[in-house]
Amino acid sequence: MIGAVEVGLIYGVMALGVFLTFRVLNFADLTVDGSFTTGAATSAMAIMAGWNPILATLAGFVTGFIAGMVTGLLHTKGKIDGLLAGILTMIALWSINLRIMDGANVPLLRQDTIFTPLRDAGLLGTWAGPGILAVAVLLLGGVVIWFLNTDLGLSLRGTGDNAPMVQSFGVSTDFTKTLTIALSNGFVGMCGALIAQYQGFADISMGIGLILVGLASVIMGQAVFGHRRVWMSVIAVIIGAVLYRLIIFAALRVGLDPNDMKAITALLVIIALLLPRWKALSGRFSRKPAAPAAAGTKKDAPAPAVAGKEV
C-alpha cells in the first residue's frame, strides 16, 4: 500500500499537467502518451551520460515542453484539429523516443537517481517516503496555483472559458493555448522522468494509455472533492492520482487479472463522469412537492376591514 501511495503521488505531477489542458484549457490532448515516454527516455539517457539526477529530471520537463509546443503550434498555426494534432505528435514521438534511447529499453538499476538518497536512508517503503513526496508534489501544486492567479495565468483560464472575450482584450489566444499545452506536457515529461528513476528503467511502451490514467485522476479527484476554487481543483487532482493507484492496488489484491487494468481504468472514468449526473438526478427526485393550499382560501385575498377603520 505504501508503494501505491508513493507512485500515486509521483503520478500527481502528471495529473497536474492533464488538469491544465483538460480543465483549464478545455482541450483533449493525446500528446501525453508520447511526452511521458519522452521525458523518461531523456532523463534515463542523461543519467547514463553522468548528469545530475535533478538536471536529468528538468531535461525531461524541457523535452515534454517542446513536444507540447509542437502540438500547440500544429493546432493554432496549422489550424489542425486539437485531437488530431495530439495524435500526430504522439505517433511521431514513438520514433523519436526510440532514437533517444537507441532501443526499446534503458535500465537504471545501477545508476544514482533522484530517489537514491531516500533509498539509502531507508525512507522509501515506509510512511516517511509518501510524506516527503507529498510535500514535494504539494509545493509544485502551490506553484501551479500561484501561476494560475497571475495575469498570464488568468489569461490562460480565460482562454479556456471564453476565447473570443479574451481576444477582445488584446490577448493572443494562439499564444495562451500553445503555452498551456506546452506546460502540460512539460509536467507530464517530468513525471515520466521521475517514474523512470523510481522504477529503475525507461521503456518505449510505458506511456501507452496514460491519458486515461490522467483523466481518471482529474475526474475522480474533482468528482469527490469538488472544483469550486483553483486551489481546491489542484489539490483534488493530486489526491485523485493517489486514489486511482489505491483502487488499482486494491483490485490486484482481490485477485483481478493485471491484464484487466485498462478496462478497470475506463470503468472508473465512466463512473466519475456519470457521478455528477447521478447526484443531480437524486437531488431532483428527492425534492418534496409543494403543499396544496387549504380549501376555500385564497393566497392573495385582501384583509377584512373593520367598520370605520382600515386593518
Side-chain angles (χ1 to χ4, degrees):
M1 182 176 178
I2 296 176
V5 176
E6 289 176 348
V7 174
L9 287 168
I10 297 173
Y11 272 103
V13 179
M14 179 270 301
L16 289 174
V18 176
F19 164 75
L20 288 176
T21 50
F22 184 66
R23 286 301 190 195
V24 175
L25 193 60
N26 197 23
F27 182 90
D29 184 23
L30 296 183
T31 313
V32 298
D33 280 21
S35 59
F36 182 85
T37 308
T38 303
T42 303
S43 173
M45 294 304 293
I47 290 175
M48 293 290 291
W51 286 34
N52 183 284
I54 297 177
L55 292 178
T57 304
L58 293 177
F61 175 87
V62 172
T63 52
F65 186 93
I66 294 172
M69 187 183 298
V70 171
T71 299
L73 292 174
L74 288 175
H75 175 57
T76 57
K77 302 302 182 183
K79 305 303 178 184
I80 299 175
D81 179 75
L83 191 63
L84 180 58
I87 293 173
L88 291 172
T89 307
M90 176 187 67
I91 293 174
L93 285 175
W94 180 274
S95 297
I96 293 173
N97 294 335
L98 287 173
R99 288 283 187 177
I100 293 174
M101 293 189 292
D102 195 23
N105 188 285
V106 176
L108 295 173
L109 297 178
R110 296 185 179 180
Q111 302 293 327
D112 288 337
T113 68
I114 200 169
F115 298 102
T116 299
L118 297 178
R119 285 198 175 94
D120 291 344
L123 297 177
L124 288 184
T126 67
W127 284 111
I132 295 172
L133 292 174
V135 171
V137 176
L138 288 175
L139 285 176
L140 184 61
V143 173
V144 173
I145 294 170
W146 166 81
F147 174 73
L148 291 177
N149 284 287
T150 62
D151 291 341
L152 180 57
L154 291 173
S155 299
L156 268 58
R157 292 162 60 186
T159 302
D161 290 336
N162 193 333
M165 183 194 70
V166 173
Q167 281 182 318
S168 68
F169 290 111
V171 176
S172 172
T173 54
D174 286 354
F175 171 76
T176 54
K177 288 179 181 178
T178 304
L179 178 61
T180 306
I181 298 170
L183 286 174
S184 168
N185 284 277
F187 283 125
V188 174
M190 179 187 292
C191 180
L194 292 172
I195 288 294
Q197 296 178 61
Y198 181 85
Q199 65 188 12
F201 67 91
D203 187 81
I204 188 62
S205 62
M206 62 190 301
I208 294 177
L210 192 75
I211 182 62
L212 197 57
V213 177
L215 292 177
S217 302
V218 173
I219 295 171
M220 281 198 309
Q222 294 189 346
V224 175
F225 297 98
H227 50 91
R228 289 176 296 177
R229 298 281 190 273
V230 174
W231 66 268
M232 188 182 297
S233 296
V234 170
I235 294 176
V237 300
I238 295 174
I239 297 175
V242 178
L243 283 178
Y244 169 78
R245 285 294 153 186
L246 289 175
I247 292 173
I248 296 299
F249 170 78
L252 293 173
R253 287 295 296 269
V254 298
L256 293 182
D257 193 330
N259 294 326
D260 297 332
M261 290 303 104
K262 297 297 182 184
I264 293 174
T265 301
L267 182 62
L268 289 175
V269 173
I270 293 172
I271 293 174
L273 286 171
L274 294 178
L275 189 60
R277 297 188 181 183
W278 290 341
K279 288 182 178 179
L281 287 175
S282 63
R284 184 182 305 173
F285 287 120
S286 63
R287 292 176 185 171
K288 296 181 178 179
T297 61
K298 293 183 179 180
K299 184 176 180 181
D300 299 323
V306 179
K309 292 185 178 181
E310 292 184 357
V311 178

